Coordinates of all heavy atoms in Angstrom, one line a residue:
M1 N -43.1 29.2 -7.1 CA -41.8 29.4 -7.8 C -41.4 28.1 -8.5 O -41.4 27.1 -7.9 CB -40.7 29.7 -6.7 CG -40.5 31.2 -6.6 SD -39.5 31.3 -5.2 CE -38.3 32.3 -5.5
E2 N -40.9 28.3 -9.7 CA -40.5 27.2 -10.5 C -39.0 27.1 -10.4 O -38.3 28.1 -10.5 CB -40.9 27.4 -11.9 CG -40.7 26.2 -12.8 CD -41.2 26.5 -14.2 OE1 -42.3 27.1 -14.3 OE2 -40.5 26.1 -15.1
K3 N -38.4 25.9 -10.2 CA -37.0 25.7 -10.2 C -36.5 25.8 -11.6 O -37.1 25.2 -12.5 CB -36.6 24.4 -9.6 CG -36.7 24.3 -8.1 CD -36.2 23.0 -7.6 CE -36.2 22.9 -6.1 NZ -35.7 21.7 -5.6
R4 N -35.3 26.4 -11.7 CA -34.7 26.5 -13.1 C -33.8 25.3 -13.2 O -33.0 25.0 -12.3 CB -33.9 27.7 -13.2 CG -34.8 29.0 -13.3 CD -34.0 30.2 -13.5 NE -33.1 30.1 -14.6 CZ -32.1 30.9 -14.8 NH1 -31.8 31.8 -14.0 NH2 -31.3 30.7 -15.9
R5 N -33.9 24.6 -14.3 CA -33.0 23.4 -14.5 C -31.9 23.8 -15.5 O -32.1 24.6 -16.4 CB -33.8 22.3 -15.1 CG -34.8 21.7 -14.1 CD -35.5 20.5 -14.7 NE -34.6 19.5 -15.3 CZ -34.4 18.3 -14.8 NH1 -35.0 17.9 -13.7 NH2 -33.5 17.5 -15.3
L6 N -30.8 23.2 -15.3 CA -29.7 23.5 -16.2 C -29.9 22.8 -17.5 O -30.5 21.7 -17.5 CB -28.3 23.0 -15.6 CG -27.8 23.7 -14.4 CD1 -26.6 23.0 -13.8 CD2 -27.4 25.1 -14.7
P7 N -29.5 23.3 -18.6 CA -29.6 22.6 -19.9 C -28.8 21.3 -19.8 O -27.9 21.2 -19.1 CB -29.0 23.6 -20.9 CG -28.9 24.9 -20.2 CD -28.9 24.7 -18.8
S8 N -29.3 20.3 -20.6 CA -28.6 19.0 -20.5 C -27.1 19.0 -20.8 O -26.3 18.3 -20.3 CB -29.4 18.0 -21.4 OG -29.2 18.4 -22.7
D9 N -26.7 19.9 -21.8 CA -25.3 20.1 -22.1 C -24.5 20.5 -20.9 O -23.4 20.0 -20.6 CB -25.1 21.0 -23.2 CG -25.6 20.5 -24.6 OD1 -25.9 19.3 -24.7 OD2 -25.8 21.3 -25.5
R10 N -25.1 21.4 -20.2 CA -24.4 22.0 -19.0 C -24.3 20.9 -17.9 O -23.2 20.8 -17.3 CB -25.2 23.2 -18.5 CG -24.6 23.9 -17.3 CD -23.7 24.9 -17.8 NE -23.4 25.8 -16.6 CZ -22.2 26.2 -16.4 NH1 -21.2 26.0 -17.2 NH2 -21.9 27.0 -15.4
R11 N -25.3 20.1 -17.7 CA -25.3 19.0 -16.7 C -24.2 18.0 -17.1 O -23.5 17.5 -16.2 CB -26.6 18.4 -16.5 CG -27.6 19.2 -15.7 CD -28.8 18.5 -15.5 NE -29.6 18.5 -16.7 CZ -30.6 17.7 -17.0 NH1 -31.0 16.8 -16.2 NH2 -31.2 17.8 -18.2
T12 N -24.1 17.7 -18.4 CA -23.1 16.7 -18.8 C -21.7 17.3 -18.6 O -20.8 16.5 -18.2 CB -23.3 16.4 -20.3 OG1 -24.7 16.0 -20.5 CG2 -22.3 15.4 -20.8
M13 N -21.5 18.6 -18.8 CA -20.2 19.2 -18.6 C -19.8 19.1 -17.1 O -18.6 18.9 -16.8 CB -20.2 20.6 -19.1 CG -20.1 20.7 -20.6 SD -20.1 22.5 -21.2 CE -19.4 23.4 -19.9
L14 N -20.7 19.2 -16.2 CA -20.4 19.2 -14.8 C -20.2 17.8 -14.3 O -19.6 17.6 -13.3 CB -21.6 19.9 -14.0 CG -21.7 21.4 -14.3 CD1 -23.0 21.9 -13.5 CD2 -20.5 22.1 -13.8
R15 N -20.8 16.8 -15.0 CA -20.7 15.4 -14.5 C -19.3 14.9 -14.6 O -18.9 14.2 -13.7 CB -21.7 14.6 -15.3 CG -21.9 13.2 -14.7 CD -22.9 12.4 -15.5 NE -24.2 13.1 -15.4 CZ -25.2 13.0 -16.3 NH1 -25.0 12.3 -17.3 NH2 -26.3 13.7 -16.1
G16 N -18.5 15.2 -15.6 CA -17.2 14.7 -15.8 C -16.3 15.0 -14.7 O -15.6 14.2 -14.1
P17 N -16.1 16.3 -14.3 CA -15.2 16.7 -13.2 C -15.7 16.1 -11.9 O -14.9 15.7 -11.0 CB -15.3 18.2 -13.2 CG -15.7 18.6 -14.5 CD -16.6 17.5 -15.1
L18 N -17.0 16.0 -11.7 CA -17.5 15.4 -10.5 C -17.1 13.9 -10.4 O -16.7 13.4 -9.3 CB -19.0 15.5 -10.4 CG -19.7 14.8 -9.2 CD1 -19.2 15.5 -7.9 CD2 -21.2 14.9 -9.3
V19 N -17.2 13.2 -11.5 CA -16.8 11.8 -11.5 C -15.3 11.6 -11.2 O -14.9 10.8 -10.4 CB -17.2 11.1 -12.8 CG1 -16.6 9.7 -13.0 CG2 -18.7 11.0 -12.9
L20 N -14.5 12.5 -11.8 CA -13.1 12.4 -11.6 C -12.7 12.7 -10.1 O -11.9 12.1 -9.5 CB -12.3 13.4 -12.5 CG -12.3 13.1 -14.0 CD1 -11.7 14.2 -14.8 CD2 -11.5 11.8 -14.2
F21 N -13.4 13.7 -9.6 CA -13.2 14.0 -8.2 C -13.5 12.8 -7.3 O -12.8 12.5 -6.3 CB -14.0 15.3 -7.8 CG -14.0 15.6 -6.3 CD1 -12.9 16.1 -5.7 CD2 -15.1 15.2 -5.5 CE1 -12.8 16.4 -4.4 CE2 -15.0 15.5 -4.1 CZ -13.9 16.1 -3.5
L22 N -14.7 12.2 -7.5 CA -15.1 11.1 -6.7 C -14.1 9.9 -6.8 O -13.8 9.2 -5.9 CB -16.5 10.6 -7.0 CG -17.6 11.6 -6.7 CD1 -18.9 11.2 -7.2 CD2 -17.6 11.9 -5.2
L23 N -13.6 9.7 -8.1 CA -12.6 8.6 -8.3 C -11.3 8.9 -7.5 O -10.7 8.0 -6.9 CB -12.3 8.4 -9.8 CG -13.4 7.7 -10.6 CD1 -13.1 7.7 -12.0 CD2 -13.6 6.3 -10.1
A24 N -10.9 10.2 -7.6 CA -9.7 10.6 -6.8 C -9.8 10.4 -5.4 O -8.9 9.9 -4.7 CB -9.3 12.0 -7.2
L25 N -11.0 10.8 -4.9 CA -11.3 10.6 -3.4 C -11.3 9.1 -3.0 O -10.7 8.8 -2.0 CB -12.6 11.2 -3.1 CG -13.0 11.4 -1.7 CD1 -12.0 12.3 -1.0 CD2 -14.4 11.9 -1.6
A26 N -11.9 8.3 -3.8 CA -11.9 6.8 -3.6 C -10.4 6.3 -3.6 O -10.1 5.4 -2.8 CB -12.7 6.1 -4.6
G27 N -9.6 6.8 -4.5 CA -8.2 6.3 -4.6 C -7.4 6.7 -3.4 O -6.6 5.9 -2.9
C28 N -7.7 7.9 -2.9 CA -6.9 8.3 -1.7 C -7.3 7.5 -0.5 O -6.4 7.2 0.4 CB -7.3 9.8 -1.4 SG -6.6 10.9 -2.5
A29 N -8.5 7.0 -0.4 CA -8.9 6.1 0.7 C -8.1 4.8 0.7 O -7.8 4.2 1.7 CB -10.4 5.8 0.6
K30 N -7.7 4.4 -0.5 CA -6.9 3.1 -0.6 C -5.4 3.3 -0.3 O -4.7 2.3 -0.1 CB -7.0 2.6 -2.1 CG -8.4 2.2 -2.5 CD -8.7 0.9 -1.8 CE -10.1 0.4 -2.2 NZ -10.5 -0.8 -1.6
L31 N -5.0 4.5 -0.1 CA -3.6 4.8 0.2 C -3.2 4.5 1.6 O -2.1 4.4 2.0 CB -3.2 6.2 -0.2 CG -3.2 6.6 -1.7 CD1 -2.9 8.0 -1.9 CD2 -2.3 5.7 -2.5
R32 N -4.2 4.4 2.5 CA -3.9 4.2 3.9 C -3.6 2.7 4.0 O -4.2 1.8 3.4 CB -5.2 4.5 4.7 CG -5.5 5.9 4.7 CD -6.6 6.3 5.6 NE -6.2 6.0 6.9 CZ -7.1 5.8 7.9 NH1 -8.3 5.8 7.7 NH2 -6.6 5.5 9.1
P33 N -2.6 2.4 4.9 CA -2.2 1.0 5.1 C -3.3 0.2 5.8 O -4.0 0.7 6.6 CB -1.0 1.1 6.0 CG -0.9 2.4 6.5 CD -1.8 3.3 5.7
T34 N -3.4 -1.1 5.4 CA -4.4 -1.9 6.1 C -3.9 -2.3 7.5 O -2.8 -2.1 7.8 CB -4.6 -3.2 5.3 OG1 -3.3 -4.0 5.3 CG2 -5.0 -2.9 3.8
A35 N -4.8 -2.8 8.3 CA -4.4 -3.3 9.6 C -3.3 -4.3 9.6 O -2.4 -4.3 10.4 CB -5.7 -3.8 10.3
E36 N -3.4 -5.2 8.6 CA -2.4 -6.3 8.4 C -1.1 -5.7 8.1 O 0.0 -6.1 8.6 CB -2.8 -7.3 7.3 CG -4.0 -8.1 7.7 CD -5.4 -7.4 7.4 OE1 -5.4 -6.3 6.9 OE2 -6.4 -8.1 7.6
Q37 N -1.1 -4.6 7.2 CA 0.2 -4.0 6.9 C 0.8 -3.3 8.1 O 2.0 -3.3 8.3 CB 0.0 -3.0 5.8 CG -0.2 -3.6 4.4 CD -0.5 -2.6 3.3 OE1 -1.4 -1.7 3.6 NE2 0.1 -2.7 2.2
Q38 N 0.0 -2.7 8.9 CA 0.5 -2.0 10.1 C 1.1 -3.0 11.1 O 2.1 -2.7 11.7 CB -0.7 -1.2 10.8 CG -1.1 0.0 9.9 CD -2.3 0.7 10.5 OE1 -3.1 0.1 11.3 NE2 -2.6 1.9 10.0
L39 N 0.4 -4.1 11.3 CA 1.0 -5.2 12.2 C 2.3 -5.7 11.6 O 3.3 -5.9 12.4 CB 0.0 -6.3 12.3 CG -1.3 -5.9 13.2 CD1 -2.3 -7.1 13.1 CD2 -0.9 -5.6 14.6
A40 N 2.4 -5.9 10.3 CA 3.6 -6.4 9.7 C 4.7 -5.4 9.8 O 5.9 -5.8 10.1 CB 3.3 -6.8 8.2
H41 N 4.4 -4.2 9.6 CA 5.5 -3.1 9.8 C 6.0 -3.1 11.2 O 7.2 -2.9 11.5 CB 4.9 -1.8 9.3 CG 6.0 -0.8 9.2 ND1 6.4 0.1 10.2 CD2 6.8 -0.5 8.1 CE1 7.4 0.8 9.8 NE2 7.7 0.5 8.5
A42 N 5.1 -3.2 12.2 CA 5.5 -3.2 13.6 C 6.4 -4.4 13.8 O 7.4 -4.3 14.6 CB 4.3 -3.3 14.5
A43 N 6.1 -5.6 13.3 CA 6.9 -6.8 13.4 C 8.3 -6.5 12.8 O 9.3 -6.9 13.3 CB 6.2 -8.0 12.7
W44 N 8.3 -5.9 11.6 CA 9.6 -5.6 10.9 C 10.4 -4.7 11.8 O 11.6 -4.9 12.0 CB 9.3 -4.9 9.6 CG 10.5 -4.5 8.9 CD1 11.1 -3.2 8.9 CD2 11.4 -5.3 8.1 NE1 12.2 -3.2 8.2 CE2 12.4 -4.4 7.6 CE3 11.4 -6.6 7.7 CZ2 13.5 -4.9 6.8 CZ3 12.4 -7.1 6.9 CH2 13.4 -6.2 6.4
E45 N 9.8 -3.7 12.4 CA 10.6 -2.8 13.2 C 11.1 -3.4 14.5 O 12.1 -3.0 15.0 CB 9.7 -1.6 13.6 CG 9.4 -0.7 12.4 CD 10.7 0.0 11.8 OE1 11.6 0.3 12.5 OE2 10.7 0.1 10.5
S46 N 10.4 -4.4 15.0 CA 10.8 -5.0 16.3 C 11.9 -6.1 16.1 O 12.5 -6.4 17.1 CB 9.6 -5.7 16.9 OG 9.2 -6.9 16.2
C47 N 12.1 -6.6 14.9 CA 13.2 -7.6 14.7 C 14.5 -7.0 14.3 O 14.6 -6.0 13.6 CB 12.7 -8.6 13.6 SG 11.4 -9.6 14.1
P48 N 15.6 -7.6 14.9 CA 16.9 -7.1 14.5 C 17.2 -7.5 13.1 O 16.8 -8.6 12.6 CB 17.8 -7.8 15.5 CG 17.1 -9.0 15.9 CD 15.6 -8.7 15.8
K49 N 17.9 -6.7 12.3 CA 18.2 -6.9 11.0 C 19.7 -6.7 10.7 O 20.3 -5.8 11.2 CB 17.4 -6.0 10.0 CG 15.9 -6.3 10.1 CD 15.1 -5.2 9.5 CE 14.8 -4.0 10.4 NZ 14.2 -4.2 11.6
A50 N 20.3 -7.6 9.8 CA 21.6 -7.4 9.4 C 21.6 -6.1 8.4 O 20.6 -5.8 7.8 CB 22.1 -8.6 8.6
A51 N 22.8 -5.5 8.3 CA 22.9 -4.3 7.5 C 22.6 -4.5 6.0 O 22.1 -3.6 5.3 CB 24.3 -3.7 7.6
N52 N 22.7 -5.7 5.5 CA 22.4 -6.0 4.1 C 21.0 -6.3 3.8 O 20.6 -6.6 2.7 CB 23.3 -7.2 3.6 CG 22.9 -8.5 4.3 OD1 22.7 -8.5 5.5 ND2 22.9 -9.5 3.5
L53 N 20.1 -6.2 4.8 CA 18.7 -6.6 4.6 C 17.8 -5.3 4.6 O 18.0 -4.4 5.4 CB 18.2 -7.5 5.6 CG 18.9 -8.9 5.7 CD1 18.4 -9.7 6.9 CD2 18.7 -9.6 4.4
A54 N 16.9 -5.2 3.6 CA 16.0 -4.0 3.5 C 14.6 -4.4 3.2 O 14.4 -5.4 2.4 CB 16.6 -3.1 2.5
L55 N 13.7 -3.7 3.7 CA 12.3 -4.0 3.4 C 12.0 -3.6 2.0 O 12.3 -2.5 1.6 CB 11.4 -3.2 4.4 CG 9.9 -3.3 4.2 CD1 9.4 -4.7 4.5 CD2 9.2 -2.3 5.2
A56 N 11.4 -4.5 1.2 CA 11.0 -4.2 -0.2 C 9.6 -3.7 -0.2 O 9.3 -2.7 -0.8 CB 11.2 -5.4 -1.1
S57 N 8.7 -4.5 0.4 CA 7.2 -4.1 0.4 C 6.5 -5.0 1.4 O 7.0 -6.0 1.8 CB 6.6 -4.3 -1.0 OG 6.6 -5.6 -1.4
I58 N 5.3 -4.5 1.7 CA 4.4 -5.3 2.5 C 3.0 -5.3 1.8 O 2.5 -4.2 1.5 CB 4.2 -4.6 3.9 CG1 5.5 -4.6 4.7 CG2 3.1 -5.4 4.7 CD1 5.4 -3.9 6.0
D59 N 2.6 -6.5 1.5 CA 1.3 -6.6 0.7 C 0.1 -6.2 1.6 O 0.2 -6.2 2.8 CB 1.1 -8.1 0.3 CG 2.1 -8.5 -0.8 OD1 2.7 -7.6 -1.4 OD2 2.2 -9.7 -1.0
P60 N -1.0 -5.9 1.0 CA -2.2 -5.5 1.8 C -2.6 -6.6 2.8 O -3.2 -6.3 3.8 CB -3.3 -5.3 0.7 CG -2.5 -4.8 -0.4 CD -1.3 -5.6 -0.4
N61 N -2.3 -7.9 2.5 CA -2.6 -8.9 3.4 C -1.6 -9.1 4.5 O -1.7 -10.0 5.3 CB -2.9 -10.2 2.6 CG -1.6 -10.8 2.0 OD1 -0.5 -10.1 2.1 ND2 -1.7 -11.9 1.3
G62 N -0.5 -8.3 4.5 CA 0.5 -8.4 5.6 C 1.7 -9.2 5.2 O 2.6 -9.3 6.0
L63 N 1.8 -9.7 4.0 CA 3.0 -10.5 3.6 C 4.2 -9.6 3.4 O 4.1 -8.6 2.7 CB 2.7 -11.3 2.3 CG 3.8 -12.1 1.8 CD1 4.1 -13.3 2.8 CD2 3.4 -12.7 0.4
I64 N 5.2 -9.9 4.1 CA 6.4 -9.0 4.1 C 7.4 -9.5 3.0 O 7.7 -10.7 3.0 CB 7.2 -9.0 5.4 CG1 6.2 -8.4 6.5 CG2 8.5 -8.3 5.4 CD1 6.7 -8.6 7.9
H65 N 7.9 -8.6 2.2 CA 8.9 -9.0 1.2 C 10.1 -8.1 1.5 O 10.0 -6.9 1.7 CB 8.4 -8.6 -0.3 CG 7.2 -9.3 -0.7 ND1 7.2 -10.6 -1.3 CD2 5.9 -9.0 -0.6 CE1 6.0 -10.9 -1.5 NE2 5.2 -10.0 -1.1
Y66 N 11.3 -8.8 1.6 CA 12.5 -8.0 1.8 C 13.6 -8.4 0.9 O 13.5 -9.5 0.3 CB 12.9 -8.0 3.3 CG 13.2 -9.4 3.8 CD1 14.5 -9.9 3.9 CD2 12.2 -10.2 4.3 CE1 14.8 -11.2 4.4 CE2 12.4 -11.5 4.8 CZ 13.7 -11.9 4.9 OH 13.9 -13.2 5.4
R67 N 14.6 -7.6 0.8 CA 15.7 -8.0 -0.1 C 17.0 -8.0 0.6 O 17.2 -7.3 1.6 CB 15.8 -7.0 -1.3 CG 16.1 -5.6 -1.0 CD 16.2 -4.7 -2.2 NE 16.7 -3.4 -2.0 CZ 16.1 -2.4 -1.4 NH1 14.9 -2.6 -1.0 NH2 16.7 -1.3 -1.2
A68 N 18.0 -8.7 0.1 CA 19.3 -8.8 0.6 C 20.3 -8.3 -0.4 O 20.2 -8.6 -1.6 CB 19.6 -10.3 1.0
V69 N 21.2 -7.5 0.0 CA 22.2 -7.0 -0.9 C 23.5 -7.8 -0.8 O 24.0 -8.0 0.3 CB 22.6 -5.5 -0.6 CG1 23.6 -5.0 -1.5 CG2 21.3 -4.7 -0.7
S70 N 23.9 -8.4 -1.9 CA 25.1 -9.2 -2.1 C 25.1 -10.6 -1.4 O 25.8 -11.5 -1.8 CB 26.4 -8.4 -1.6 OG 26.4 -8.2 -0.2
S71 N 24.4 -10.8 -0.3 CA 24.4 -12.1 0.3 C 23.1 -12.2 1.2 O 22.5 -11.2 1.5 CB 25.6 -12.4 1.2 OG 25.5 -11.7 2.4
Q72 N 22.8 -13.5 1.6 CA 21.6 -13.7 2.4 C 21.9 -13.7 3.9 O 21.2 -14.2 4.7 CB 20.8 -14.9 2.0 CG 20.2 -14.8 0.6 CD 19.2 -15.9 0.4 OE1 19.0 -16.8 1.2 NE2 18.7 -16.0 -0.9
S73 N 23.1 -13.2 4.2 CA 23.5 -13.2 5.6 C 22.5 -12.5 6.5 O 22.0 -11.4 6.3 CB 24.8 -12.4 5.7 OG 25.2 -12.4 7.1
G74 N 22.0 -13.2 7.5 CA 21.1 -12.7 8.5 C 19.6 -12.9 8.1 O 18.7 -12.6 8.9
A75 N 19.4 -13.4 6.9 CA 18.0 -13.5 6.4 C 17.2 -14.6 7.1 O 16.0 -14.4 7.4 CB 18.0 -13.9 4.9
R76 N 17.9 -15.7 7.5 CA 17.2 -16.7 8.2 C 16.8 -16.3 9.6 O 15.6 -16.5 10.1 CB 18.0 -18.0 8.3 CG 17.3 -19.1 9.1 CD 18.1 -20.4 9.1 NE 18.2 -20.9 7.8 CZ 19.1 -21.8 7.4 NH1 20.0 -22.2 8.3 NH2 19.1 -22.3 6.2
T77 N 17.7 -15.6 10.3 CA 17.4 -15.1 11.6 C 16.2 -14.1 11.6 O 15.3 -14.1 12.4 CB 18.7 -14.4 12.2 OG1 19.7 -15.3 12.2 CG2 18.4 -13.9 13.6
L78 N 16.2 -13.2 10.6 CA 15.2 -12.2 10.4 C 13.8 -12.9 10.2 O 12.8 -12.6 10.8 CB 15.5 -11.2 9.3 CG 14.4 -10.2 9.0 CD1 14.0 -9.4 10.2 CD2 14.8 -9.3 7.8
A79 N 13.8 -13.9 9.2 CA 12.6 -14.6 8.9 C 12.0 -15.3 10.2 O 10.8 -15.3 10.4 CB 12.8 -15.6 7.8
E80 N 12.9 -15.9 11.0 CA 12.5 -16.6 12.2 C 11.9 -15.6 13.2 O 10.8 -15.9 13.8 CB 13.6 -17.4 12.8 CG 14.1 -18.6 12.1 CD 15.4 -19.2 12.6 OE1 15.9 -18.7 13.6 OE2 15.8 -20.2 12.0
C81 N 12.5 -14.4 13.3 CA 12.0 -13.4 14.2 C 10.6 -12.9 13.8 O 9.7 -12.8 14.6 CB 13.0 -12.3 14.3 SG 12.4 -10.9 15.4
L82 N 10.5 -12.7 12.5 CA 9.2 -12.2 11.9 C 8.1 -13.2 12.1 O 7.0 -12.9 12.5 CB 9.4 -11.8 10.5 CG 10.2 -10.6 10.1 CD1 10.5 -10.5 8.6 CD2 9.6 -9.3 10.7
R83 N 8.4 -14.5 11.9 CA 7.5 -15.5 12.1 C 7.1 -15.7 13.5 O 5.9 -16.0 13.8 CB 8.0 -16.8 11.5 CG 7.9 -16.9 10.0 CD 8.2 -18.2 9.4 NE 8.3 -18.2 8.0 CZ 9.5 -18.1 7.3 NH1 10.6 -18.2 7.9 NH2 9.4 -18.0 6.0
S84 N 8.0 -15.4 14.4 CA 7.7 -15.6 15.9 C 6.7 -14.5 16.3 O 6.0 -14.7 17.3 CB 9.0 -15.5 16.7 OG 9.5 -14.2 16.7
T85 N 6.7 -13.4 15.6 CA 5.7 -12.3 15.9 C 4.4 -12.6 15.3 O 3.4 -11.8 15.5 CB 6.2 -10.9 15.5 OG1 6.3 -10.9 14.1 CG2 7.6 -10.6 16.1
G86 N 4.3 -13.6 14.4 CA 3.0 -13.9 13.7 C 2.9 -13.3 12.4 O 1.9 -13.4 11.7
A87 N 4.0 -12.7 11.9 CA 4.0 -12.0 10.6 C 4.2 -13.1 9.5 O 4.8 -14.1 9.7 CB 5.1 -11.0 10.5
S88 N 3.7 -12.8 8.3 CA 3.8 -13.6 7.1 C 5.1 -13.1 6.4 O 5.2 -11.9 6.1 CB 2.6 -13.6 6.2 OG 1.5 -13.9 6.9
V89 N 5.9 -14.0 6.0 CA 7.2 -13.6 5.3 C 7.2 -14.4 3.9 O 6.9 -15.5 3.9 CB 8.4 -14.0 6.1 CG1 9.7 -13.6 5.5 CG2 8.3 -13.5 7.5
S90 N 7.7 -13.7 2.9 CA 7.9 -14.3 1.6 C 8.9 -15.4 1.7 O 9.8 -15.4 2.6 CB 8.3 -13.3 0.5 OG 9.5 -12.6 0.9
A91 N 8.9 -16.4 0.8 CA 9.7 -17.6 1.0 C 11.2 -17.3 1.2 O 11.8 -17.8 2.1 CB 9.6 -18.4 -0.3
A92 N 11.8 -16.4 0.3 CA 13.2 -16.1 0.5 C 13.4 -14.7 0.0 O 12.7 -14.2 -1.0 CB 14.0 -17.0 -0.3
P93 N 14.4 -13.9 0.5 CA 14.6 -12.6 0.1 C 15.2 -12.6 -1.3 O 16.0 -13.5 -1.7 CB 15.6 -12.0 1.1 CG 16.3 -13.2 1.6 CD 15.3 -14.3 1.6
V94 N 15.0 -11.6 -2.1 CA 15.6 -11.4 -3.4 C 17.0 -10.9 -3.1 O 17.2 -9.9 -2.4 CB 14.8 -10.4 -4.2 CG1 15.5 -10.1 -5.5 CG2 13.4 -10.9 -4.5
V95 N 18.0 -11.5 -3.7 CA 19.4 -11.1 -3.5 C 19.7 -10.2 -4.7 O 19.7 -10.5 -5.9 CB 20.4 -12.3 -3.5 CG1 21.8 -11.8 -3.4 CG2 20.0 -13.2 -2.3
A96 N 20.0 -8.9 -4.4 CA 20.4 -7.9 -5.4 C 21.9 -7.6 -5.2 O 22.4 -7.4 -4.1 CB 19.6 -6.6 -5.1
S97 N 22.6 -7.8 -6.3 CA 24.0 -7.5 -6.2 C 24.2 -6.0 -6.3 O 23.5 -5.2 -6.9 CB 24.8 -8.1 -7.4 OG 24.2 -7.6 -8.6
S98 N 25.2 -5.5 -5.5 CA 25.5 -4.1 -5.5 C 26.2 -3.6 -6.8 O 27.0 -4.4 -7.3 CB 26.3 -3.7 -4.3 OG 27.5 -4.5 -4.2
P99 N 26.0 -2.4 -7.3 CA 26.6 -2.0 -8.5 C 28.1 -1.8 -8.5 O 28.7 -1.6 -7.5 CB 25.9 -0.6 -8.8 CG 25.2 -0.2 -7.6 CD 25.1 -1.4 -6.7

């Protein structure tokens, strides 16, 4: 029995969607948080925070960025707590004025 091969045009048409599917699949794998991000988030959750402080982002390497609304009240205490857990903290929170 001889195997039938698809014409080259047909194979080319099938290759595009397959490549897109594989790229999407690879992209979804990157959406999971890294171990460093998970540890940083646990540190963030364990520290007391003033009402004006909010988590902005956590980098893949675990560096925590947070913002302060209207003042930096409580920012130093939060940074000290985060550092005591071994978390990396950005130099200073971004102060965003309320509208």
Side-chain angles (χ1 to χ4, degrees):
M1 265 174 133
E2 186 179 322
K3 285 187 179 180
R4 290 181 53 199
R5 292 184 51 110
L6 291 173
S8 64
D9 291 343
R10 182 90 165 139
R11 283 185 285 162
T12 303
M13 283 178 31
L14 293 175
R15 192 174 297 154
L18 178 62
V19 169
L20 289 176
F21 173 74
L22 293 175
L23 286 173
L25 189 62
C28 289
K30 294 288 183 182
L31 294 178
R32 296 187 63 205
T34 64
E36 292 85 359
Q37 285 174 313
Q38 291 174 343
L39 291 172
H41 192 268
W44 175 264
E45 291 297 322
S46 71
C47 288
K49 293 164 279 304
N52 66 316
L53 301 175
L55 179 63
S57 65
I58 300 175
D59 292 344
N61 66 0
L63 180 65
I64 299 171
H65 300 274
Y66 58 97
R67 68 180 189 281
V69 178
S70 70
S71 76
Q72 290 193 6
S73 176
R76 180 178 292 162
T77 304
L78 175 59
E80 289 171 1
C81 177
L82 290 170
R83 286 189 185 102
S84 73
T85 65
S88 304
V89 183
S90 60
V94 174
V95 177
S97 58
S98 56

